[in-house]
Amino acid sequence: MSTQKRTCPLLSVQPVRGLVDEKFQFVVTNLPPNQKVTLHSLHQSDDKDFWEAFGHYVSDEHGSVTGFKHESLGGTYEGTEPMGLLWSMRPIPGSRHGLRLRKRDIFRPMEVCISVYSGHLFQGFSQQTPLTTSVTERWYVAPGVKRVNIRKKEIRGTLFLSILTLIHIPRPGPYPGVLDLWGAGGGLVEYRSALLASHGFASMALEYLAPEDLRLEDTDASYFEKAYQILKNHPMVKKDHLAVLGLCLGGAITLSMVSYSKVIKPQCCVCISGSHLMPVDKSLSELFEEMKNHADKLYVNENNQVIHRNLILSLTCQSAKVDVGRIKCPLLLVNGDDDQTIPAVESAEDMAMMMEKAGNRHLLEILTYPDAGHLIEPPYSPHFRATNYKLEWTKERIVMLWGGQTKPHAYAQEDAWKKILAFLWQHLSAPVTSF
Amino acid sequence: MKRTCPLLSVQPVRGLVDEKFQFVVTNLPPNQKVTLHSLHQSDDKDFWEAFGHYVSDEHGSVTGFKHESLGGTYEGTEPMGLLWSMRPIPGSRHGLRLRKRDIFRPMEVCISVYSGHLFQGFSQQTPLTTSVTERWYVAPGVKRVNIRKKEIRGTLFLPPGPGPYPGVLDLWGAGGGLVEYRSALLASHGFASMALEYLAPEDLRLEDTDASYFEKAYQILKNHPMVKKDHLAVLGLCLGGAITLSMVSYSKVIKCCVCISGSHLMPVDKSLSELFEEMKNFESLSNHMFSANANHLLKCTQVGRIKCPLLLVNGDDDQTIPAVESAEDMAMMMEKAGNRHLLEILTYPDAGHLIEPPYSPHFRATNYKLEWTKERIVMLWGGQTKPHAYAQEDAWKKILAFLWQHLSAPVTSF
């Protein structure tokens, strides 16, 4: 039998199905040596927009390109960065402006089509036939994670945890719990909770900005306390192993609750891109009124992007700050120093001083990432410097400048997530699946 | 704070059925007896399990690829034993066989760590830790195309990407039905694979099912826009293997073929109903083989006419088909005819008849309905579990390499 030499390039992506926070590796083989190729990724979002990224490589003397060994020489990312095919994604030419990529259908994976093209291309990918293609899936849920809809009186949320439905296995758990709060964009944002559940936590994503009939005027600390109680009392949740985690306004809520509430007493908390300058002691509508009063501090740059941070800075006044000196549990702050939305770094410094004075500085850990922006999301999510946004207190549609540069922001997301999981695991004695 | 809970990691957590997984248990006390247990509920709702007895090392770890199972349903350094040694749980119905029907949903396997060396009672104890892993027959992007052209019934599975792809016509045995999982897996490795239903699908009668049915199916595959016309193979098991040999002995265009646990003693030159009539007349195919030598040459497929590479895959404990003897006879016929160089034979010691994709459990005997009498029996397939598992793993690698070699297929690395 004759032995034929392979003539077709071969692309292998491993794992072919991974969690969104897992790295993948790609290897291209059977190319001619020293051949210019473009590695291209393509994804169609739940909103039907197309996102892409690409890197320019040259095959080695064996005709291979190996993501973890070879450098991308150009494209949407550079360097030895195989994950650049995800974190440097942006909408394809001709797309609508100001898009943001967020997974809505949590139980279906993100399908990413990875192709190898001949030459170093910058555009026209859809007009060329690739040398080879592979499809990889990125999942927000690990096998066994299930959702539990939370609809108790006015509280709206989703609890994610591992429920084994096979009747022949006694249920393990209970699990340490996390109350998961997003920002003023509103809605019920589930993907981070789903991912936390994939790492061994019972995580509850809470919808708090006027879900259904609930009015902002009625949304105050008691809403969050009730939500926390629901989580705490759930049979699959370990009562004394709880955390609160929030981003932006969710981070501000976290700081307020953990400083003042007699009900919300978690074992630890995480505040991402948040600030103590936005106390949530009265209702949310009052907080938004306050912010409207300072709306003249919103700055619009030459690209028509709104810079929000100065508004928050202008709220500075001693009595209006959250008294973080009262906090009794470990607190992790995660910030980007190019955050254009919230003055997170300055707030963190101020919080450190307050806690020093109050004697609880030892509880505070601050992670500050150079050139990272406001939206510090799970790893490998694309970076968005500015996207369309609806200002909650005026309902005005703007383009919000979040800040950050792509590569440092991607690094921040990857590093912060590892540290957040380690922090939660440490304080909640969680059997976090190895990461 | 030191971790106090044992931790189980299974990687990959979602894999293809022919991928190995690794498991690592950490945070156990050192030198602790534990049982690794796997549990799966089939599409038919039966429960299947396997288990291995381990002792943690001085670091409190059990690592599948390093440590030995000392007992249970499998022994040795065999992490995949948690799949290939599965059997129905106590109290199950008899003679069960595990086969995936819903191809686009994964097989969910629950892997648990129990304290001590247990043989039973897993549902009454709480495990130290549990992890769920998924096993998929389809890679991301694989698509199915229903084939319903006149009387031809099948499913074509296509790899992702622009194509066109080398094609495989995939034939199962006399159990009948439309069995899709092997084709789905072949598509996951870069082949456009068509699973064919040929035993009286819907209105088609056995009397009308002859060589022309398979030729039409082959043409449908060949002419599909996503299939590379000149890069086609036929692959069959058991009766499907016999059909493969018949087809390929007349073909000038098939590039290569694979016959698993098949025999040239079942020529499909007339209709299937006639073939079954013939088989009713023989107590066993072995008798058939050693009957009147003069007639022997006329009663079997003329493998001396084959013009393309042929791979035979056999278990030497095959109790259903005399596959090994047939292979030897075929080798002699091909030697005489001058095409012996096309033949490659893989014979696996102590493997049985049902050589399935890797890590499928081994079935020595299962319930079966004899096609030519409709009688329900328990068919002895043969084989011993560990050697059979080895045969499945090794044969699959070699089958893929063989197909890739002769079809110039860009098979995804394995």
Side-chain angles (χ1 to χ4, degrees):
Chain A
M1 266 185 284
S2 63
T3 46
Q4 258 164 297
K5 202 165 143 51
R6 272 183 185 166
T7 49
C8 314
L10 208 63
L11 167 65
S12 160
V13 181
Q14 293 294 336
V16 84
R17 289 183 167 96
L19 283 184
V20 295
D21 54 11
E22 265 189 84
K23 284 189 195 245
F24 59 41
Q25 296 298 348
F26 64 79
V27 182
V28 192
T29 45
N30 276 0
L31 292 166
N34 305 313
Q35 160 92 359
K36 285 185 180 172
V37 291
T38 302
L39 265 288
H40 178 262
S41 62
L42 185 69
H43 166 68
Q44 188 175 28
S45 68
D46 288 351
D47 297 328
K48 304 293 177 214
D49 300 295
F50 284 96
W51 293 72
E52 68 178 1
F54 51 93
H56 294 153
Y57 294 87
V58 179
S59 64
D60 62 16
E61 64 271 22
H62 306 294
S64 300
V65 174
T66 306
F68 65 87
K69 274 200 306 188
H70 296 126
E71 286 195 11
S72 164
L73 307 165
T76 58
Y77 67 99
E78 282 174 19
T80 315
E81 301 275 1
M83 301 310 290
L85 282 173
L86 292 179
W87 56 247
S88 72
M89 276 185 153
R90 75 266 178 109
I92 62 171
S95 297
R96 308 177 286 154
H97 290 288
L99 294 177
R100 190 170 162 187
L101 183 62
R102 303 187 95 183
K103 194 78 174 77
R104 284 209 289 248
D105 190 350
I106 303 299
F107 285 90
R108 292 173 72 98
M110 185 181 166
E111 264 196 25
V112 181
C113 198
I114 300 183
S115 305
V116 183
Y117 289 86
S118 186
H120 284 174
L121 309 183
F122 284 92
Q123 62 210 3
F125 294 100
S126 52
Q127 282 93 50
Q128 283 217 39
T129 304
L131 298 172
T132 178
T133 298
S134 188
V135 179
T136 187
E137 291 176 0
R138 309 288 294 167
W139 291 75
Y140 278 92
V141 283
V145 168
K146 304 279 187 288
R147 67 179 294 145
V148 177
N149 290 327
I150 302 292
R151 299 178 76 84
K152 270 194 168 173
K153 299 197 187 146
E154 72 278 26
I155 310 295
R156 294 285 174 271
T158 312
L159 177 62
F160 288 92
L161 38 75
S162 280
I163 302 179
L164 296 168
T165 51
L166 299 179
I167 58 171
H168 277 246
I169 288 277
R171 292 179 175 187
Y175 302 100
V178 179
L179 182 63
D180 178 21
L181 307 170
W182 282 88
L188 180 51
V189 184
E190 299 181 327
Y191 55 85
R192 189 171 59 199
S193 279
L195 201 53
L196 286 168
S198 302
H199 288 283
F201 299 96
S203 183
M204 180 164 140
L206 183 67
E207 185 176 8
Y208 61 86
L209 280 179
E212 297 172 28
D213 302 328
L214 181 68
R215 302 182 314 154
L216 277 180
E217 290 81 356
D218 302 327
T219 312
D220 57 18
S222 68
Y223 183 85
F224 302 100
E225 285 169 351
K226 284 176 199 159
Y228 184 85
Q229 293 283 47
I230 289 171
L231 178 67
K232 183 175 170 183
N233 295 328
H234 193 280
M236 293 292 269
V237 175
K238 275 187 189 167
K239 284 186 178 342
D240 304 317
H241 294 74
L242 296 166
V244 183
L245 182 151
L247 178 140
C248 192
L249 176 57
I253 292 164
T254 301
L255 293 172
S256 281
M257 295 302 120
V258 104
S259 302
Y260 297 116
S261 172
K262 294 186 173 41
V263 171
I264 299 180
K265 290 185 182 309
Q267 274 57 51
C268 69
C269 56
V270 181
C271 172
I272 306 170
S273 305
S275 170
H276 64 321
L277 299 174
M278 296 156 66
V280 184
D281 41 3
K282 300 175 210 94
S283 73
L284 283 182
S285 64
E286 290 178 72
L287 174 65
F288 291 159
E289 269 308 309
E290 185 73 24
M291 291 171 72
K292 245 195 243 180
N293 293 341
H294 294 253
D296 56 315
K297 296 291 187 299
L298 284 179
Y299 175 69
V300 182
N301 69 9
E302 66 276 11
N303 296 322
N304 214 29
Q305 298 160 342
V306 172
I307 298 174
H308 185 271
R309 66 192 327 271
N310 295 329
L311 184 155
I312 306 298
L313 276 175
S314 70
L315 297 177
T316 306
C317 123
Q318 201 55 37
S319 57
K321 291 186 207 177
V322 174
D323 186 4
V324 293
R326 299 166 56 111
I327 291 178
K328 298 204 172 12
C329 68
L331 164 63
L332 176 67
L333 300 179
V334 180
N335 301 322
D337 80 359
D338 193 41
D339 190 331
Q340 297 297 318
T341 310
I342 295 278
V345 172
E346 299 93 312
S347 302
E349 284 165 4
D350 195 58
M351 280 192 260
M353 283 200 306
M354 290 172 73
M355 291 173 83
E356 185 74 52
K357 280 209 189 99
N360 62 346
R361 175 66 180 83
H362 60 285
L363 295 174
L364 178 65
E365 188 182 343
I366 307 177
L367 300 175
T368 304
Y369 292 97
D371 292 328
H374 180 72
L375 295 178
I376 299 178
E377 298 257 18
Y380 319 121
S381 310
H383 164 243
F384 314 102
R385 187 162 170 80
T387 66
N388 299 330
Y389 190 76
K390 189 168 83 174
L391 269 181
E392 191 51 46
W393 44 96
T394 56
K395 307 295 178 198
E396 197 188 339
R397 289 184 180 282
I398 58 162
V399 177
M400 182 77 92
L401 184 71
W402 308 108
Q405 301 301 326
T406 297
K407 192 164 172 176
H409 191 90
Y411 170 76
Q413 292 187 153
E414 188 180 352
D415 191 71
W417 185 246
K418 285 198 190 89
K419 296 203 159 95
I420 288 169
L421 287 178
F423 176 82
L424 291 173
W425 157 70
Q426 180 189 355
H427 296 293
L428 303 185
S429 310
V432 171
T433 48
S434 65
F435 190 59
Chain B
M1 248 189 280
K2 202 167 142 52
R3 272 183 184 165
T4 50
C5 314
L7 208 63
L8 168 64
S9 159
V10 181
Q11 292 294 339
V13 84
R14 289 183 166 97
L16 283 184
V17 294
D18 54 11
E19 263 189 85
K20 285 190 195 241
F21 58 42
Q22 297 297 347
F23 64 79
V24 182
V25 191
T26 46
N27 276 1
L28 292 166
N31 305 312
Q32 161 91 359
K33 284 184 182 175
V34 291
T35 303
L36 264 289
H37 178 264
S38 62
L39 184 71
H40 166 67
Q41 188 174 28
S42 67
D43 287 351
D44 296 328
K45 304 295 176 213
D46 301 294
F47 284 97
W48 293 71
E49 69 177 0
F51 51 92
H53 294 154
Y54 293 86
V55 178
S56 64
D57 63 15
E58 64 270 23
H59 306 293
S61 299
V62 174
T63 306
F65 65 86
K66 274 201 304 190
H67 296 126
E68 285 194 12
S69 165
L70 308 165
T73 59
Y74 67 99
E75 283 174 16
T77 315
E78 301 277 0
M80 300 311 290
L82 282 173
L83 291 179
W84 55 247
S85 73
M86 276 186 155
R87 76 266 177 109
I89 62 171
S92 297
R93 308 178 285 154
H94 290 286
L96 295 177
R97 189 170 163 188
L98 183 62
R99 303 188 95 184
K100 195 80 176 73
R101 283 208 290 247
D102 190 350
I103 304 300
F104 283 87
R105 292 173 73 99
M107 186 182 166
E108 265 197 20
V109 181
C110 198
I111 299 184
S112 305
V113 182
Y114 288 87
S115 187
H117 283 174
L118 309 183
F119 284 93
Q120 62 210 2
F122 294 99
S123 53
Q124 282 93 51
Q125 284 215 40
T126 304
L128 298 173
T129 178
T130 300
S131 188
V132 180
T133 186
E134 290 177 1
R135 308 287 294 167
W136 291 76
Y137 278 92
V138 282
V142 165
K143 296 176 275 297
R144 72 176 288 150
V145 176
N146 289 328
I147 301 291
R148 298 177 76 86
K149 269 193 167 174
K150 299 201 187 143
E151 71 277 26
I152 310 296
R153 296 283 174 271
T155 310
L156 176 61
F157 288 92
L158 294 172
Y165 307 98
V168 178
L169 182 64
D170 177 23
L171 305 169
W172 282 88
L178 180 50
V179 184
E180 298 180 326
Y181 55 85
R182 189 169 60 196
S183 278
L185 201 54
L186 286 168
S188 303
H189 288 283
F191 299 96
S193 183
M194 180 164 140
L196 182 68
E197 186 175 10
Y198 62 85
L199 280 179
E202 297 173 27
D203 301 329
L204 183 67
R205 302 182 314 154
L206 276 179
E207 290 82 354
D208 301 327
T209 311
D210 57 18
S212 68
Y213 183 85
F214 303 99
E215 280 162 16
K216 283 177 199 158
Y218 181 85
Q219 289 298 334
I220 289 172
L221 177 65
K222 181 177 168 187
N223 295 327
H224 193 280
M226 293 290 269
V227 175
K228 274 186 189 167
K229 283 187 176 343
D230 305 318
H231 293 75
L232 293 164
V234 183
L235 181 153
L237 179 140
C238 192
L239 177 56
I243 294 163
T244 299
L245 292 172
S246 287
M247 285 180 79
V248 91
S249 62
Y250 289 98
S251 172
K252 295 184 182 59
V253 295
I254 297 175
K255 274 279 183 295
C256 69
C257 61
V258 182
C259 171
I260 305 170
S261 305
S263 171
H264 63 322
L265 299 173
M266 296 156 63
V268 184
D269 42 4
K270 300 174 211 94
S271 73
L272 284 182
S273 64
E274 290 177 71
L275 174 65
F276 291 160
E277 270 307 308
E278 286 235 358
M279 290 173 69
K280 259 193 228 175
N281 296 337
F282 293 99
E283 278 182 27
S284 80
L285 280 175
S286 293
N287 289 346
H288 169 57
M289 176 158 191
F290 297 113
S291 69
N293 270 341
N295 287 335
H296 160 241
L297 279 173
L298 295 173
K299 283 192 192 304
C300 64
T301 304
Q302 299 301 303
V303 294
R305 301 167 56 124
I306 290 175
K307 294 187 174 34
C308 69
L310 163 63
L311 176 66
L312 299 179
V313 179
N314 300 322
D316 81 358
D317 193 42
D318 190 329
Q319 297 297 320
T320 312
I321 294 278
V324 173
E325 300 94 312
S326 301
E328 284 164 5
D329 196 59
M330 279 192 262
M332 282 198 311
M333 290 173 72
M334 292 173 81
E335 185 73 54
K336 279 207 190 97
N339 62 347
R340 175 65 179 83
H341 60 286
L342 296 174
L343 178 65
E344 188 182 342
I345 307 176
L346 300 174
T347 303
Y348 292 97
D350 291 326
H353 180 72
L354 296 177
I355 299 178
E356 297 258 18
Y359 318 122
S360 310
H362 164 243
F363 314 102
R364 187 163 168 80
T366 66
N367 300 330
Y368 189 76
K369 190 168 83 174
L370 269 180
E371 191 51 46
W372 40 93
T373 58
K374 307 296 177 197
E375 199 188 335
R376 289 185 178 284
I377 59 165
V378 177
M379 180 77 93
L380 182 70
W381 308 107
Q384 301 300 324
T385 296
K386 193 164 174 176
H388 191 89
Y390 169 75
Q392 293 187 153
E393 188 180 352
D394 190 71
W396 185 246
K397 283 198 190 89
K398 295 202 158 96
I399 289 168
L400 287 178
F402 176 83
L403 291 173
W404 155 70
Q405 180 186 355
H406 297 292
L407 302 183
S408 310
V411 172
T412 48
S413 64
F414 192 59

